[in-house]
Amino acid sequence: VAVLYLTLFAAFRYYGVLAATPAFVLMVAVAALAAALAVLQDARSLAIIGALGGFATPLVVSTGSNNHVALFAYYLVLDAGIAAVAWSKTWRALNLIGFVATFVVATAWGVLQYRPEDYATSQAFLIAFFLLFVVILVLPARRLGAVPVEAEGGSRRDGWVNSSLLFGLPTVVFALEYGLVRGTPFGAALAALVL
């Protein structure tokens, strides 16, 4: 899977064999294939490699159009794929990778590219990502129930991953929300109340 990503990247960036759109579509197909194979073969490392490549795809195939709606819509679909994997597998590291990659890119975009006219779409995506990661956070609990973590193939060390999502999600989302509403009177207070 990693070799496929690298081959597609080289074909696009260095050799000009593929245009941006076909390279993007093929990298998305590789990410979907990796996720499907990972679930079918119970291969956590394959899912992680596929997710890392999937999150890197829009960054390495970027043409500089600065279309944040397309970027965040793609990340929303990718995170929904992680939620689908979380429905059948308890791979907390994959959940953490999705969380970190999504919010690092969102923070970088917010600092470098955000404009007040992007408020409505940014707010909608922030709410959608928050709700999706709450679902991703809760899904392992649905599977585990009263079964100990060790019986599910995990370890007690996986607890720090859940803690990172549990406490990191509202913290990061509120920090990004503050960036969106800091110019609005009582914006941060109302955002805190809603959160």
Side-chain angles (χ1 to χ4, degrees):
V1 168
V3 169
L4 284 172
Y5 278 129
L6 292 173
T7 303
L8 291 169
F9 172 69
F12 164 70
R13 183 72 65 197
Y14 297 117
Y15 296 105
V17 175
L18 290 174
T21 303
F24 180 79
V25 169
L26 288 171
M27 286 185 171
V28 169
V30 169
L33 176 68
L37 288 174
V39 170
L40 290 172
Q41 297 178 3
D42 198 24
R44 182 185 322 209
S45 58
L46 181 59
I48 289 171
I49 290 170
L52 289 172
F55 281 108
T57 294
L59 305 176
V60 300
V61 184
S62 174
T63 57
S65 67
N66 295 327
N67 185 350
H68 73 283
V69 173
L71 174 68
F72 292 133
Y74 170 74
Y75 273 18
L76 192 62
V77 169
L78 201 57
D79 288 329
I82 289 175
V85 171
W87 179 264
S88 61
K89 300 291 181 187
T90 309
W91 294 338
R92 290 176 174 90
L94 181 64
N95 302 344
L96 185 63
I97 286 170
F99 170 74
V100 170
T102 298
F103 287 107
V104 164
V105 170
T107 301
W109 176 84
V111 169
L112 300 173
Q113 301 290 328
Y114 176 73
R115 298 179 317 251
E117 49 272 10
D118 298 330
Y119 175 79
T121 55
S122 301
Q123 187 70 269
F125 280 119
L126 187 58
I127 291 168
F129 282 123
F130 177 76
L131 294 174
L132 183 60
F133 277 102
V134 166
V135 168
I136 289 172
L137 181 63
V138 171
L139 281 175
R142 178 196 64 83
R143 290 202 71 235
L144 290 176
V147 178
V149 175
E150 290 84 359
E152 190 64 25
S155 69
R156 292 274 178 215
R157 293 177 301 178
D158 287 341
W160 72 270
V161 174
N162 265 2
S163 300
S164 300
L165 284 175
L166 180 65
F167 297 109
L169 181 61
T171 304
V172 170
V173 168
F174 186 74
L176 292 174
E177 180 66 26
Y178 176 75
L180 293 176
V181 299
R182 69 175 169 242
T184 306
F186 303 107
L190 294 172
L193 179 65
V194 170
L195 185 62

